[in-house]
Amino acid sequence: MKTEHIPYKIYLTEDELPKAWYNLRADMKQKPAPLLNPGTHQPMKAEELAGVFCEGLIAQELDNDTAYFPIPEEILTFYKMYRPSPLVRAYCLEEKLGTPAKIYYKFEGNNTSGSHKLNSAIAQAYYAKKQGLKGVTTETGAGQWGTALSMACSYFDLDCKVYMVKCSYEQKPFRREVMRTYGASVTPSPSMETEVGRKILAEHPGTTGSLGCAISEAVEKAVTSEGYRYVLGSVLNQVLLHQSVIGLEAKTALDNFGVKPDIIIGCAGGGSNLGGLIAPFMGEKLRGEEDYRFIAVEPASCPSFTRGVYAYDFCDTGMVCPLAKMYTLGSDFIPSANHAGGLRYHGMSSTLSELYHQGLMEAVSVKQTDVFKAAEYFARVEGILPAPESAHAIRVAIDEAVKCKETGEEKTILFGLTGTGYFDMVAYERFHDGQMDDFIPTDEELAAYRSKLPKVD
Amino acid sequence: MKTEHIPYKIYLTEDELPKAWYNLRADMKQKPAPLLNPGTHQPMKAEELAGVFCEGLIAQELDNDTAYFPIPEEILTFYKMYRPSPLVRAYCLEEKLGTPAKIYYKFEGNNTSGSHKLNSAIAQAYYAKKQGLKGVTTETGAGQWGTALSMACSYFDLDCKVYMVKCSYEQKPFRREVMRTYGASVTPSPSMETEVGRKILAEHPGTTGSLGCAISEAVEKAVTSEGYRYVLGSVLNQVLLHQSVIGLEAKTALDNFGVKPDIIIGCAGGGSNLGGLIAPFMGEKLRGEEDYRFIAVEPASCPSFTRGVYAYDFCDTGMVCPLAKMYTLGSDFIPSANHAGGLRYHGMSSTLSELYHQGLMEAVSVKQTDVFKAAEYFARVEGILPAPESAHAIRVAIDEAVKCKETGEEKTILFGLTGTGYFDMVAYERFHDGQMDDFIPTDEELAAYRSKLPKVD
């Protein structure tokens, strides 16, 4: 254990970078519930998934036992272009808040996709290329995942077809242009290009879209196009596996200075960032080696953990995907226009859902205007203009640090700063102009969506 | 000299960060020509500048002898929030080009202002605060300087009034919102707010503005407002001084691995990035210790070095500033709409002009479409979407690396990657759509502007 001064930013050396992804499921006694065939309600087999997903990724998806997957050399090379990401000691924020808490954040925004999404995008593109595919299809909410996948596909010379949630497409005109720079094609969803898109548009003509709709369109496009598969930026086990680089790097950096966090906080849409950040820490907790508090932060407008139910549900609005057991609001829940586009998903990672269900993790929901207050405060104090999604974690990190001020406790707080908000300035503008509302679904609304959950014994 | 593997990204430790700025002028035998009073044509004295500039900065501006200025503690603290910037070994670019050249770039884009401008902004805000001022005024071209100054002023709780070149204001609607996040007010220039703005609008009703116009407006606003001074993001000696952190960090990083660059390349608008990047290397050349090739890259649409004259000229269109001896196209030269907003200045740093005049530095001009080709190529290969300004340096770095491929020479190339292009997607869109033109002024046009230079004996 080193005892020297902790720098503002801790960068690992290349030698210290993770060489393998960590599979949290291997240390879970109660494994996440398996994906089910929507027709037979039997666990999905690898061969059933092969029409939708890439082979190498299916193996990772279904493997609940292997603790470490070596990271292929080509991916390690790409990681070295933009990783390690810095672990930042938020000295300025601590001082401004006057808190005795010690605050750290793992900042994943220093790459052109602007977020952590690139960690899984490059892995998924690699396995698609390895399988000899022509290209991949996907959906994107805030646009970060689509940008990340465009970059990854460009690197491996794969075709990339992105369905972008319509409200994000309209709020973020420049995101499309970044994806185009990397050679991707981008379609606002729901679209008239797919059967499921046409159906959703017929039923909800004015819809601003949702991740659930866009997933359905991307899956349909993949299964009906020769040499294409579908890839997804969150929710799935494989994505949490790839994102474990966030937590592994953060843990090594903290270990180098003998620091142990008390509270670990991440925003949660589908769960990719949170699952990746907490992975090695949760592993220690599951193995009984250490204890940590974990807090998932979700928007009050789309509160899967805090107001959803733990049940089997469709992953997409069009019901073309397998059933997953997760905390869900119902697959046809379409949140009100919410500027944190990346957190608009109706469900939550099965792995995180099981951990939450077992009481190993907490969850809170926060209102959008409170989130933007925290975002602006953080931008001014720490110099990084955060993505609205990331600012959910900032909000709760600040709240916890203020509690420490009140109690005098010197807790160590680690949170995930998933990305930057440079393409979210329309949302910031509304906030500045006082035109931002807090959308909170009523109990009646949620009950109505819940009543449509599939019946699984 | 270490001989180990050179990592993809070299980060200095906090201990290795520069503690003092390096003043290149101290090592110049022939000093840059002094600023002149526009009425008397006598060298400007500190007291004459005091109505426009902050005191601490005037001392730096006029000092041609002190080699090192210690960086104040408050600024070192702010630097630690976003520095060191990485020195990147462009392994992927080298491989893709198939060149034996070794390419390095110093990447200054990993902060919310998106560029190197923050290095001087925080210094200038510090001295304004130290003097007890209420606020500062400035101009911004591409918006990077304005954003940087907004961040710096927010940190020191100063008011910030930005005049933004109109074409950038219109092309980059979200830049304004970032500045607003940091509490700045932003006015498109020329505006009706100032006398000089009204005059320029009357003479050129359809003008898209220029840095020269915006400077005049900001200076007028500063001298007519109680407790305000004017600050400038480029051109001035003080700015090059602050930007020397770029070169000092780069040199330490290279020295740590025993690497000596053969060619050092930077884009040049007013000269702040280039002057900062080359500072310690040029110092060695001036002292006869080492030799390097230096290449300034400017847009063919605004070719101060390559097609301008070395003469005294006004720094601004409104002729309210002191006269500076520099390579200039004439102070009322307004370049055609050019997407590299930060390189639209009619003149060039006096220091760099003198070095160029002495033959210590080369300059080339490049066409905009060629620049965007390099930008897109670089984005795909190295994963960073560059600012159009920065891509000027990329263009020439690639050209030099390709020459090495032809000759088989293993040259080491260092270039400055000043920033990211996330707010330049309108320009990228035009490029993708084949709607981008190359504007090159004719000899007759340049001669007409030149004929209006002030007469100085």
Side-chain angles (χ1 to χ4, degrees):
Chain A
M1 186 195 293
K2 300 181 195 169
T3 53
E4 71 254 52
H5 160 74
I6 293 170
Y8 281 69
K9 297 191 289 182
I10 307 174
Y11 285 105
L12 300 182
T13 65
E14 273 186 12
D15 290 342
E16 291 175 313
L17 294 181
K19 305 287 185 297
W21 293 304
Y22 167 61
N23 181 11
L24 181 56
R25 289 165 283 155
D27 282 310
M28 291 171 72
K29 287 194 194 77
Q30 176 71 40
K31 308 291 181 188
L35 296 172
L36 297 188
N37 182 307
T40 65
H41 290 190
Q42 292 301 307
M44 291 289 282
K45 297 197 185 77
E47 54 270 30
E48 293 176 286
L49 292 167
V52 180
F53 296 120
C54 305
E55 288 162 11
L57 296 167
I58 293 169
Q60 296 176 349
E61 188 65 29
L62 299 179
D63 189 332
N64 285 338
D65 303 308
T66 306
Y68 287 94
F69 286 86
I71 304 174
E73 200 58 48
E74 292 90 332
I75 299 174
L76 285 175
T77 297
F78 190 88
Y79 277 173
K80 284 180 201 162
M81 280 211 288
Y82 73 99
R83 304 200 70 79
S85 70
L87 180 75
V88 185
R89 173 71 186 269
Y91 284 115
C92 296
L93 180 62
E94 291 170 18
E95 191 187 331
K96 196 83 174 178
L97 291 173
T99 177
K102 294 171 179 61
I103 308 175
Y104 294 84
Y105 55 92
K106 181 71 171 164
F107 178 43
E108 292 287 320
N110 276 347
N111 69 73
T112 292
S113 81
S115 83
H116 67 294
K117 295 284 182 177
L118 197 51
N119 302 331
S120 184
I122 192 63
Q124 298 196 41
Y126 167 82
Y127 289 108
K129 187 71 181 180
K130 198 177 164 197
Q131 194 177 332
L133 297 175
K134 277 188 218 163
V136 293
T137 70
T138 199
E139 83 299 329
T140 196
Q144 293 171 333
W145 167 247
T147 309
L149 190 68
S150 304
M151 293 174 69
C153 285
S154 167
Y155 188 76
F156 284 123
D157 201 19
L158 284 166
D159 188 37
C160 182
K161 173 90 186 148
V162 181
Y163 291 88
M164 186 169 186
V165 177
K166 194 178 277 175
C167 68
S168 288
Y169 185 90
E170 286 162 3
Q171 279 173 19
K172 305 185 177 188
F174 297 156
R175 272 280 182 205
R176 184 192 61 229
E177 220 46 56
V178 178
M179 293 187 238
R180 246 179 118 193
T181 301
Y182 288 94
S185 74
V186 190
T187 306
S189 168
S191 77
M192 296 298 284
E193 279 185 14
T194 63
E195 204 170 304
V196 66
R198 291 188 289 273
K199 183 160 171 284
I200 290 167
L201 280 173
E203 287 170 13
H204 308 276
T207 180
T208 55
S210 71
L211 277 175
C213 300
I215 292 172
S216 298
E217 291 204 84
V219 170
E220 180 184 321
K221 187 76 182 177
V223 298
T224 57
S225 306
E226 179 73 25
Y228 282 73
R229 293 295 185 281
Y230 166 71
V231 297
L232 177 63
S234 191
V235 181
L236 296 175
N237 292 330
Q238 60 190 260
V239 180
L240 269 69
L241 175 71
H242 306 147
Q243 295 296 355
S244 68
V245 293
I246 304 172
L248 291 165
E249 280 188 11
K251 187 156 193 323
T252 301
L254 289 172
D255 285 349
N256 281 350
F257 289 91
V259 175
K260 181 186 165 299
D262 297 297
I263 310 175
I264 302 174
I265 300 167
C267 61
S272 73
N273 148 67
L274 181 68
L277 176 67
I278 69 173
F281 302 98
M282 183 61 89
E284 288 188 332
K285 182 163 177 163
L286 289 167
R287 295 190 301 270
E289 297 164 6
E290 288 283 0
D291 196 18
Y292 304 96
R293 265 185 78 196
F294 300 100
I295 308 178
V297 189
E298 59 185 12
S301 61
C302 193
S304 335
F305 267 142
T306 51
R307 297 177 69 199
V309 289
Y310 190 38
Y312 267 103
D313 195 7
F314 290 95
C315 293
D316 62 323
T317 312
M319 305 181 186
V320 299
C321 288
L323 299 176
K325 190 172 180 188
M326 56 186 177
Y327 278 85
T328 179
L329 299 165
S331 67
D332 58 355
F333 176 81
I334 296 187
S336 308
N338 176 333
H339 300 295
L343 305 180
R344 286 165 56 85
Y345 188 61
H346 68 276
M348 184 58 69
S349 145
S350 287
T351 302
L352 293 183
S353 291
E354 180 57 35
L355 292 167
Y356 181 62
H357 184 65
Q358 292 177 31
L360 291 161
M361 196 170 75
E362 305 165 35
V364 295
S365 75
V366 289
K367 287 192 293 185
Q368 181 162 238
T369 51
D370 290 336
V371 165
F372 272 82
K373 277 178 208 157
E376 183 161 282
Y377 183 84
F378 185 83
R380 292 186 179 197
V381 174
E382 283 285 318
I384 297 172
L385 191 144
E389 294 83 1
S390 321
H392 285 68
I394 296 172
R395 174 73 272 162
V396 172
I398 289 176
D399 291 346
E400 289 293 332
V402 168
K403 279 184 209 164
C404 287
K405 186 179 178 178
E406 288 159 5
T407 63
E409 290 173 288
E410 291 186 26
K411 286 185 182 166
T412 297
I413 298 170
L414 167 65
F415 73 91
L417 188 69
T418 54
T420 51
Y422 306 143
F423 292 92
D424 299 287
M425 297 320 295
V426 168
Y428 274 90
E429 186 174 18
R430 289 196 192 161
F431 173 67
H432 294 146
D433 292 342
Q435 291 172 352
M436 181 171 278
D437 294 316
D438 290 310
F439 307 98
I440 301 174
T442 64
D443 288 339
E444 292 69 29
E445 283 168 332
L446 291 183
Y449 287 116
R450 213 149 48 209
S451 70
K452 299 182 196 166
L453 285 173
K455 304 278 175 284
V456 178
D457 299 320
Chain B
M1 185 197 294
K2 299 182 196 170
T3 54
E4 70 254 50
H5 161 74
I6 294 170
Y8 280 69
K9 296 192 288 182
I10 307 174
Y11 285 105
L12 301 181
T13 64
E14 273 186 12
D15 290 343
E16 292 175 312
L17 293 181
K19 306 286 184 299
W21 293 303
Y22 167 61
N23 180 12
L24 181 57
R25 289 166 284 155
D27 283 310
M28 291 171 72
K29 288 195 193 76
Q30 177 70 42
K31 308 292 182 188
L35 295 172
L36 298 187
N37 181 306
T40 65
H41 289 190
Q42 293 301 306
M44 290 290 281
K45 297 197 187 76
E47 52 271 29
E48 294 176 284
L49 292 167
V52 180
F53 295 120
C54 305
E55 289 161 11
L57 296 167
I58 293 169
Q60 296 176 349
E61 187 66 27
L62 300 179
D63 189 332
N64 285 337
D65 303 307
T66 305
Y68 288 94
F69 287 84
I71 305 173
E73 201 59 46
E74 292 90 332
I75 300 175
L76 285 176
T77 297
F78 190 88
Y79 277 173
K80 284 181 202 161
M81 279 210 289
Y82 73 99
R83 305 199 70 79
S85 70
L87 180 75
V88 184
R89 173 71 184 268
Y91 283 116
C92 295
L93 180 61
E94 291 170 17
E95 191 187 330
K96 195 84 175 178
L97 292 172
T99 178
K102 294 171 180 62
I103 309 174
Y104 294 84
Y105 55 92
K106 182 70 171 164
F107 178 44
E108 293 287 319
N110 276 348
N111 69 73
T112 292
S113 80
S115 83
H116 66 295
K117 296 285 184 178
L118 197 52
N119 302 331
S120 185
I122 191 65
Q124 299 196 42
Y126 167 81
Y127 290 106
K129 187 69 180 180
K130 198 177 165 197
Q131 194 177 332
L133 297 176
K134 276 188 219 162
V136 292
T137 71
T138 199
E139 82 300 329
T140 196
Q144 293 171 332
W145 167 248
T147 309
L149 190 68
S150 305
M151 293 173 69
C153 286
S154 167
Y155 187 74
F156 284 123
D157 200 19
L158 284 165
D159 189 38
C160 183
K161 172 91 185 147
V162 181
Y163 291 88
M164 186 169 186
V165 176
K166 194 178 280 177
C167 68
S168 288
Y169 185 90
E170 285 163 2
Q171 280 173 20
K172 304 183 178 190
F174 297 156
R175 272 279 181 207
R176 186 192 60 232
E177 219 48 53
V178 178
M179 293 187 240
R180 245 178 118 193
T181 301
Y182 289 94
S185 74
V186 190
T187 307
S189 168
S191 78
M192 297 298 285
E193 278 185 15
T194 64
E195 206 169 300
V196 66
R198 290 188 290 271
K199 185 161 170 283
I200 290 167
L201 280 173
E203 288 170 11
H204 307 275
T207 181
T208 54
S210 71
L211 277 175
C213 301
I215 292 172
S216 298
E217 292 205 83
V219 170
E220 181 183 322
K221 187 75 181 177
V223 299
T224 57
S225 307
E226 178 74 23
Y228 283 74
R229 291 295 184 282
Y230 166 70
V231 296
L232 178 62
S234 191
V235 181
L236 295 175
N237 293 330
Q238 59 190 262
V239 180
L240 269 69
L241 175 72
H242 306 147
Q243 294 297 355
S244 67
V245 293
I246 303 173
L248 291 165
E249 280 188 10
K251 190 159 189 321
T252 302
L254 289 172
D255 285 349
N256 281 350
F257 289 91
V259 175
K260 182 186 163 301
D262 299 296
I263 311 174
I264 302 174
I265 301 165
C267 61
S272 73
N273 147 66
L274 181 68
L277 175 67
I278 69 173
F281 302 99
M282 182 63 87
E284 288 188 329
K285 182 165 178 164
L286 289 166
R287 296 190 301 271
E289 298 164 4
E290 288 282 2
D291 196 18
Y292 304 96
R293 267 185 77 196
F294 299 100
I295 308 177
V297 190
E298 58 186 14
S301 60
C302 194
S304 335
F305 268 143
T306 52
R307 298 178 68 198
V309 289
Y310 190 37
Y312 268 103
D313 195 6
F314 290 96
C315 293
D316 62 322
T317 311
M319 305 181 186
V320 300
C321 288
L323 300 174
K325 189 172 180 188
M326 55 184 177
Y327 279 86
T328 178
L329 299 165
S331 69
D332 56 356
F333 177 82
I334 295 187
S336 308
N338 177 334
H339 300 295
L343 305 179
R344 288 164 55 85
Y345 187 61
H346 69 275
M348 183 60 67
S349 145
S350 287
T351 301
L352 293 183
S353 292
E354 180 56 35
L355 292 168
Y356 181 62
H357 184 65
Q358 291 178 31
L360 292 161
M361 195 170 77
E362 305 163 35
V364 295
S365 75
V366 289
K367 288 191 292 185
Q368 180 164 241
T369 50
D370 291 336
V371 164
F372 272 83
K373 277 177 208 158
E376 183 162 283
Y377 183 83
F378 185 82
R380 292 186 180 197
V381 174
E382 283 286 317
I384 297 173
L385 191 144
E389 294 83 1
S390 322
H392 285 68
I394 296 173
R395 173 75 272 164
V396 172
I398 289 177
D399 292 346
E400 290 292 332
V402 168
K403 281 184 208 163
C404 287
K405 185 179 179 179
E406 289 158 5
T407 63
E409 290 174 289
E410 290 186 27
K411 286 184 182 165
T412 297
I413 298 169
L414 167 65
F415 73 91
L417 187 69
T418 55
T420 51
Y422 306 143
F423 292 91
D424 299 286
M425 297 320 296
V426 168
Y428 273 91
E429 184 174 18
R430 289 197 191 160
F431 173 68
H432 293 147
D433 293 342
Q435 291 172 352
M436 180 171 281
D437 295 315
D438 291 310
F439 307 99
I440 302 175
T442 65
D443 288 339
E444 292 69 29
E445 282 167 332
L446 292 184
Y449 287 115
R450 214 147 50 207
S451 69
K452 299 183 198 164
L453 286 172
K455 303 280 175 282
V456 178
D457 301 322

